[in-house]
Amino acid sequence: MIRSLLIFFLITTMLFCSAYKKPFRYEIKAEPNAYVHNNRGLDYLKDRVYYAAVQEFKIAISLSPSTQASAIFYNNLGETYMFMQYPDLALDCFENAVKLYGLNFKYYINLANCYKAKGVDIIKIKEFSTSQDVYDRIKLGILYVNNGEIRKGINTLDEICVTEPDLLITPAIKQYIKEIIRNNPS
């Protein structure tokens, strides 16, 4: 009897005095982690560690694939590919950035520069010149400027500013036109 009480006492004290804790419940929040990976990618890009930057941007995109923030991640990935001289890989990134958030003028400039680097700018000018879509007209104006047809580019972009004054991207287009005029006085 004493022996069984002793065993019972030992077992109960082991249960109560053991260091057993209920495991923590972890929640993985994709959005904050996506920003963390994007910022790491920017740090790697600043240090010119391009492969690591590409991987971090890809992780950020996979954590947040179809939000406005992922447009930033796609643009950063595209810029990294352009630094690495891979315009073929960058093209898809810039197109996704414009598709996800078409109100950032920098995305259009990067896309036009990528078209030029790939050598498809003339084809795209022909394609966009038949389109009446405002965003295609923005691309067309930038492509004209990049190809040296500055007057055509300014006229195309100015036409957008006149016809679409309430568009959120219009102030950036006006600023771009002012910069082009300032840099090319003729």
Side-chain angles (χ1 to χ4, degrees), residues 1 7-8 12 14 16 24 28 45 49 54-55 72 76 87 94 98 120 123-124 136 151 159 175-176 178:
M1 173 86 172
I7 292 173
F8 177 74
T12 55
M14 280 179 32
F16 289 114
F24 290 111
I28 298 175
L45 188 59
V49 184
V54 165
Q55 296 309 314
I72 297 168
N76 290 342
F94 292 137
V98 168
V120 297
I123 297 167
K124 291 297 181 177
D136 287 344
R151 187 172 302 277
E159 177 185 320
Q175 183 64 33
Y176 180 71
K178 286 178 186 177

Side-chain angles (χ1 to χ4, degrees), residues 109-142:
I109 292 173
N110 288 342
L111 182 60
N113 291 337
C114 187
Y115 286 148
K116 181 121 176 118
K118 247 190 109 173
V120 297
D121 49 346
I122 303 299
I123 297 167
K124 291 297 181 177
I125 285 175
K126 289 178 184 173
E127 178 186 331
F128 296 143
S129 62
T130 59
S131 175
Q132 293 302 316
D133 182 42
V134 175
Y135 302 108
D136 287 344
R137 305 292 294 170
I138 292 171
K139 295 173 198 173
L140 179 65
I142 297 169

